[in-house]
Amino acid sequence: MSSALLFYMSAVLALSGGFIMLFSKNTVGSAMGLLLAFVATAGIYLSLSSPFLALAQIFLYSGAVAVLIVFAIMMIDEQKKYELPVHGLFTKSLAVISVLYTIYILIRIVRFSGSSRVALSDTSELGRLMVSDYLLHIEALSVILIVSIMSAILVAKRKS
Amino acid sequence: MIYQYIVLSLILFFIGLITVIVRRNLIVVLMGIEFMLNAAGIMFVTYSRFYNNYSGEFITLVIMLIAACEMAIGLSVVVAMFRIFGSVKSNDIRELRN
């Protein structure tokens, strides 16, 4: 699949995920739309020929953030029923297309061979920047991670 | 081709902004914030790849980490708020009104 076709398909899926997030009455449906948009963003990064960011997008956003949101929805337990709103033909076909698209994106990340339009992103150059020019940023980010984890535990702890 | 990426990023950003403004459920509001950060990341990577400068990709990685931290703190605040008020709708929380 050429990178222009990959871009258009990812753009359509990201926009439909965004509209699902915006218009779904069910909170779990909103979370699934957000997850679809995250995976589609990984496809957009692939069409920009930077496979490392696509992998980080799937790990960090789809793996961490979306799962965290679904956990919080289940903990809050407000609406007492969590069926996925997969009823109409459009939603069902969109779900099947999303699953196939995700598998395609994962295969494409593993067997990446570059795009035609822009130069292939050099991951070693990105890593070299992290330990030379942006070393202070990385250290600050580690402190922010520690502080945010500790504060999240402290805020959400049950007062007994 | 760069214009299509920029237009897509702007549309995604405004979908997130409308979600933050319109929806009342606080979890969905947090999702809208994540969506806006995601759109900003697309814009950074677009300029980074088309001008072959790696700072944009680094900033996108920073955005991902900050989004994870923000999500952890925001969701813990929402869970604590649900324990106190019994609801996560933003118009049910009106303790300061009277």
Side-chain angles (χ1 to χ4, degrees):
Chain A
M1 193 188 287
S2 73
S3 63
L5 191 56
L6 180 63
F7 168 72
Y8 285 120
M9 194 173 173
S10 306
V12 169
L13 282 178
L15 286 175
S16 47
F19 282 118
I20 288 172
M21 178 192 71
L22 179 53
F23 291 117
S24 174
K25 291 296 167 198
N26 193 335
T27 319
V28 182
S30 290
M32 290 303 124
L34 187 71
L35 182 56
L36 174 59
F38 283 163
V39 176
T41 308
I44 289 169
Y45 290 163
L46 266 188
S47 76
L48 283 167
S49 74
S50 70
F52 173 68
L53 274 182
L55 195 63
Q57 169 85 15
I58 287 189
F59 278 177
L60 278 173
Y61 271 118
S62 316
V65 172
V67 172
L68 195 64
I69 289 173
V70 174
F71 265 118
I73 292 169
M74 298 299 168
M75 277 177 71
I76 280 176
D77 192 58
E78 195 181 38
Q79 54 196 8
K80 299 285 192 284
K81 66 180 178 66
Y82 299 106
E83 57 181 17
L84 274 181
V86 190
H87 296 308
L89 184 64
F90 173 73
T91 329
K92 276 177 185 166
S93 53
L94 188 63
V96 172
I97 289 173
S98 317
V99 171
L100 292 179
Y101 174 81
T102 309
I103 294 170
Y104 173 73
I105 287 293
L106 289 174
I107 293 172
R108 184 81 186 263
I109 287 174
V110 172
R111 309 168 66 94
F112 191 71
S113 61
S115 161
S116 52
R117 260 193 331 278
V118 293
L120 177 61
S121 167
D122 190 6
T123 311
S124 62
E125 180 68 22
L126 189 60
R128 198 191 58 76
L129 273 183
M130 274 185 201
V131 292
S132 60
D133 288 356
Y134 295 112
L135 185 61
L136 192 64
H137 304 65
I138 292 287
E139 297 295 332
L141 268 179
S142 63
V143 174
I144 290 174
L145 267 173
I146 294 281
V147 171
S148 71
I149 288 171
M150 279 164 32
S151 62
I153 291 173
L154 203 67
V155 169
K157 199 170 66 175
R158 211 182 280 272
K159 306 282 188 298
S160 59
Chain B
M1 192 66 195
I2 188 170
Y3 298 108
Q4 298 161 7
Y5 284 96
I6 293 169
V7 168
L8 174 72
S9 169
L10 283 176
I11 294 173
L12 290 180
F13 185 85
F14 280 105
I15 289 174
L17 190 62
I18 292 170
T19 307
V20 171
I21 293 172
V22 169
R23 296 297 297 263
R24 289 283 172 256
N25 195 328
L26 283 175
I27 295 181
V28 184
V29 171
L30 278 175
M31 286 183 207
I33 294 172
E34 292 295 313
F35 206 79
M36 283 195 286
L37 288 172
N38 204 16
I42 293 176
M43 187 78 97
F44 271 118
V45 176
T46 302
Y47 277 106
S48 163
R49 293 318 306 148
F50 275 91
Y51 292 98
N52 208 4
N53 185 347
Y54 287 92
S55 300
E57 296 197 26
F58 177 77
I59 292 175
T60 307
L61 273 177
V62 173
I63 287 175
M64 286 177 190
L65 287 174
I66 295 292
C69 297
E70 172 250 327
M71 208 65 214
I73 297 179
L75 284 176
S76 66
V77 167
V78 169
V79 168
M81 199 177 271
F82 178 74
R83 290 210 187 105
I84 295 172
F85 295 105
S87 167
V88 288
K89 301 283 193 295
S90 63
N91 46 5
D92 288 341
I93 299 167
R94 49 179 76 182
E95 283 287 302
L96 287 179
R97 185 168 287 177
N98 34 16

